[in-house]
Structure formats: C-alpha cells, structure tokens
Amino acid sequence: MGLAILCPNFSLGQNNVGWFFTPEFSLMAMDQHLGRAVGFQGGVSLAQRRLNVGIFYYGRSGPINPHEVSFTLPGNQTYKGKGTIDFRADHGAFGVMISPQVELGNVKLDVPLLFGQFGAGFYLTGDDRITPDGRRVSDWEDDLLGNADAGFGFILEGGIRARTAINKNKGIEAGIGVHYTHTIGYESTLGGTAYYRVPRFSIFFLLGN
C-alpha cells in the first residue's frame, strides 16, 4: 500500500485544519480483465474535517498487469515473422481532488471528486522488445500502431468511500470505495476512446484525524 506521512494539525480561525495522506490499491473493471492500480491522495482537511482538498495520483503499471492485448497488423504486415502481436498497457493520472466528508457513527463516508491529466499507452513485451533492425522499440511501437500507441487527455472521476478507525490514537483509518473513471480526449489504436472509462474499486488507508 505504501508509506504514509502525517503533518500536525493547526487552527485557523474557527476552522480546524489538518493534513492527510491516503495510499490505496485498486482494481479496474476493464475489458475481459481486472486492471491493478496503485496511488495516493494527500492534502488538507478543512471546515471541522468536513472537507478534504488536495492532489491525487494513481497508475496502472505494466509489471503488475500481465494482461496482454492481441493486435493483428493490417495489410499483411509482419513483425519478426508474426502477423499478430501481443501488447501490454499502462497508464498514469494525476491532478486535484475535493472530497466532502460525513460521519455516521463509527463510519465516515466521503465523496471524492477527481480531475486531472491522463496518459496511457500500449507497448511490446518480452523478446518482442528486441527489434529486428536495432531501432528503438518505441519507434517500432509507433509504426506498428499507426503512431497512436499512446494517448493523452483528461480524467474525471467520482466515487463514494467508507472508512473506519483502526487506531484512533494515531489517526489511522481503513476503508473501501467504488468509483467511476471517465476519460476526455484520450484515444489510441488499441484503446480507442473508452478503454479507461470503467468502474474502479479501491482499498485504502487514511492517516489523519
């Protein structure tokens, strides 16, 4: 899940202001497989702990996502004698987040809203990364996928999470969440426009109070 860092609280007028850091692991309900992603949120708690504001990052890295997508080259093309090639995918997203909070007994609910930059791509793996002519593998990926092996755009995500304290004295909480990810402007040969427009399920820790 990662390490968490918590800074001391301080007061500003009538509002208690604190810091929080939230590492998380998530599963993305992608086409024919569950994508794995890791990330974090961090920032300040405002308005008597009723509002969290800060930044976020999460990514679906290739090493923890062995799923491969097969692509048949058009026009009877081949790569190292093969007409169909397997690619892996990865992505990253970062930006700003705002999350209203509410307490229901021993359970805290929050509604994280995320907006930021998004980038994702498909890449050759294994022996296919040894190119037949010594050119950079990224050049071959561009050629094989029509200069659209990767794409960039924006991400917009909403969700709801529930958490409870596991150590009140140290301000450690654990929880689960469900989210929906929507990309804007992203497009690639294998991913199209909707590859990352999917539900996401998270497990997380929150350090704060």
Side-chain angles (χ1 to χ4, degrees), residues 2 13 36 45 53 61 100 109 120 129 134-135 139 154 158 161 163:
R36 304 176 182 92
S45 296
V53 179
S61 66
L109 299 179
R129 296 193 66 80
R135 284 198 299 154
D139 291 338
F154 298 96
R161 306 191 304 183
R163 67 184 192 269

Side-chain angles (χ1 to χ4, degrees), residues 1 23-27 35-39 64 200-204:
M1 294 293 183
E24 70 171 29
F25 171 80
S26 60
L27 296 174
R36 304 176 182 92
V38 293
I64 62 172
R200 187 170 70 88
F201 309 93
S202 65
I203 302 171
F204 65 93

Side-chain angles (χ1 to χ4, degrees), residues 129-189:
R129 296 193 66 80
I130 304 172
T131 61
D133 58 2
R135 284 198 299 154
R136 293 185 306 174
V137 67
S138 59
D139 291 338
W140 269 101
E141 290 163 350
D142 287 342
D143 291 347
L144 295 171
L145 295 175
N147 291 315
D149 58 310
F152 298 90
F154 298 96
I155 185 171
L156 180 65
E157 183 179 285
I160 184 168
R161 306 191 304 183
R163 67 184 192 269
T164 189
I166 59 176
N167 189 321
K168 289 186 178 182
N169 292 331
K170 294 185 178 181
I172 302 175
E173 301 173 342
I176 57 174
V178 59
H179 319 257
Y180 186 80
T181 300
H182 183 78
T183 54
I184 303 168
Y186 167 79
E187 186 172 4
S188 64
T189 297

Side-chain angles (χ1 to χ4, degrees), residues 62-177:
I64 62 172
N65 286 277
H67 179 79
E68 296 181 341
V69 179
S70 295
F71 178 66
T72 300
L73 299 173
N76 296 318
Q77 297 181 67
T78 61
Y79 175 74
K80 300 177 73 171
K82 298 182 295 184
T84 298
I85 309 170
D86 293 331
F87 290 83
R88 285 190 185 179
D90 56 14
H91 89 275
F94 69 93
V96 295
M97 57 83 63
I98 183 169
S99 181
Q101 318 277 309
V102 63
E103 290 192 33
L104 298 175
N106 293 327
V107 176
K108 296 179 182 178
L109 299 179
D110 69 289
V111 182
L113 303 174
L114 282 53
F115 178 77
Q117 187 72 50
F118 177 88
F122 293 82
Y123 62 94
L124 294 167
T125 64
D127 291 341
D128 283 340
R129 296 193 66 80
I130 304 172
T131 61
D133 58 2
R135 284 198 299 154
R136 293 185 306 174
V137 67
S138 59
D139 291 338
W140 269 101
E141 290 163 350
D142 287 342
D143 291 347
L144 295 171
L145 295 175
N147 291 315
D149 58 310
F152 298 90
F154 298 96
I155 185 171
L156 180 65
E157 183 179 285
I160 184 168
R161 306 191 304 183
R163 67 184 192 269
T164 189
I166 59 176
N167 189 321
K168 289 186 178 182
N169 292 331
K170 294 185 178 181
I172 302 175
E173 301 173 342
I176 57 174

Side-chain angles (χ1 to χ4, degrees), residues 16-37:
N16 262 343
V17 179
W19 294 74
F20 69 91
F21 188 85
T22 309
E24 70 171 29
F25 171 80
S26 60
L27 296 174
M28 305 176 71
M30 310 193 64
D31 184 27
Q32 300 180 353
H33 75 286
L34 286 175
R36 304 176 182 92

